[in-house]
Amino acid sequence: MDASLNDALSRLPSSAIPLNPTVLALTGAGISAESGIPTFRGSEGYWVVGSRNYMPEEMATRRMFTAHPDEVWRWYLYRFGMCRHALPNPAHAALVQLEVALGERFRLVTQNIDGLHRRAGSSVERTYCIHGDSAYVRCSHECGRGLMPLPAVQIPSLDVEFTEAMRNQLKCEHCGAWLRPHVLWFDEYYDEENYHADSAMRAAAQADVLLVIGTSGATNLPMQLATLCARRGATIIDINPEPNPFSAIAQRAKCGLAIQNMASVAVPAIVAHLRAAAAA
Ligand code: NAD
Ligand code: ZN
């Protein structure tokens, strides 16, 4: 193990990781950055419509979808294409090993819609995709169809306009309305039915250890999860090359650690430590 990581872990009091711990992992775009998927904070985030640049916070909204469904779909299909071609990295794989070691004592809450946790082998049952999953769509008029697989619409290049055939592939067969990506937009609210918000809070209410990986704390459910864990006295470990609100929570917590390192290096090391506690 990396000497500085080893050193950081050895500074945790022995009570920080109980035998057979219950662990909640909370992941954000940073865990997939090393798989080649840009975070929202990177320069690749913006999108041009007409002569204007839009930031993800404007594109990923019901308001934008209602006004410009073609453009919002083109933006998503472009981003989804990047997700399809990306591969899980050692950080995703380490969380699978942790789930195997802990079973029911493990939960994963992810803000990522890229499907890399699923493709690495994390179970659907113990993974809560609180911002949705790019592999699915649903009717924008909520006509009762539930989740459907993302239609195979190919956008050959970014300057190609939508054809009528492409548009038709993105319409609900039942009621004719636009299908929408199964993702939580910035002007919408978390719920249990689509985004497992209550299940995520329940997991935070039970965790001995919260492992936060690669998230900037810009959305509110992740902050609520971490605040609840900290209030209950859980051990908080943040992994992120940059200081962020979760590293601040970890530093203030009774047992906490902020590890300023890349996910692909730090997550396998922490997971090895937690698996040792599970096997002891
Ligand atoms: P964010 O883009 O706001 O922040 C990413 C965080 O990851 C930053 O704090 C950054 O310092 C950190 N980071 C960068 N490289 C890292 C690495 N190698 N290892 C560890 N950490 C690293 O992402 P967010 O907090 O997840 O929130 C943004 C929103 O965007 C979420 O709603 C999410 O659903 C969505 N999003 C998802 C994806 C995806 O599915 N992969 C990608 C971009 C955005
Ligand atoms: Zn419909």
Side-chain angles (χ1 to χ4, degrees), residues 81-93:
M82 287 193 276
C83 299
R84 244 195 325 275
H85 294 115
L87 294 173
N89 67 52
H92 298 100

Side-chain angles (χ1 to χ4, degrees), residues 29 33 36-48 53-57 59 75 78-79 82 158:
I37 300 178
T39 67
F40 272 179
R41 311 298 139 198
S43 55
E44 299 96 331
Y46 73 87
W47 187 253
V48 182
N53 288 349
Y54 287 86
M55 295 310 291
E57 291 79 354
M59 289 303 292
W75 180 66
Y78 170 66
R79 289 194 70 95
M82 287 193 276
L158 284 182

Side-chain angles (χ1 to χ4, degrees), residues 139 143 172 175:
C139 175
C143 74
C172 174
C175 75

Side-chain angles (χ1 to χ4, degrees), residues 193-241:
E193 184 191 354
N194 285 310
Y195 305 113
H196 312 287
D198 301 338
S199 303
M201 283 304 278
R202 264 197 304 279
Q206 288 166 5
D208 299 314
V209 179
L210 172 67
L211 203 53
V212 184
I213 306 158
T215 179
S216 69
T219 52
N220 71 55
L221 180 57
M223 288 306 291
Q224 286 176 33
L225 300 175
T227 307
L228 174 58
C229 288
R231 214 171 39 222
R232 293 179 44 253
T235 297
I236 318 271
I237 301 176
D238 180 65
I239 298 169
N240 194 318

Side-chain angles (χ1 to χ4, degrees), residues 138-185:
R138 51 186 218 259
C139 175
S140 64
H141 284 187
E142 310 283 351
C143 74
R145 273 285 156 115
L147 294 186
M148 295 163 261
L150 175 71
V153 183
Q154 303 293 342
I155 298 269
S157 81
L158 284 182
D159 42 17
V160 169
E161 291 299 315
F162 259 9
T163 63
E164 210 44 44
M166 291 170 175
R167 227 178 247 116
N168 286 339
Q169 279 181 280
L170 294 167
K171 295 288 171 66
C172 174
E173 279 183 12
H174 192 56
C175 75
W178 280 99
L179 296 171
R180 59 167 284 173
H182 174 52
V183 297
L184 178 68
W185 284 328

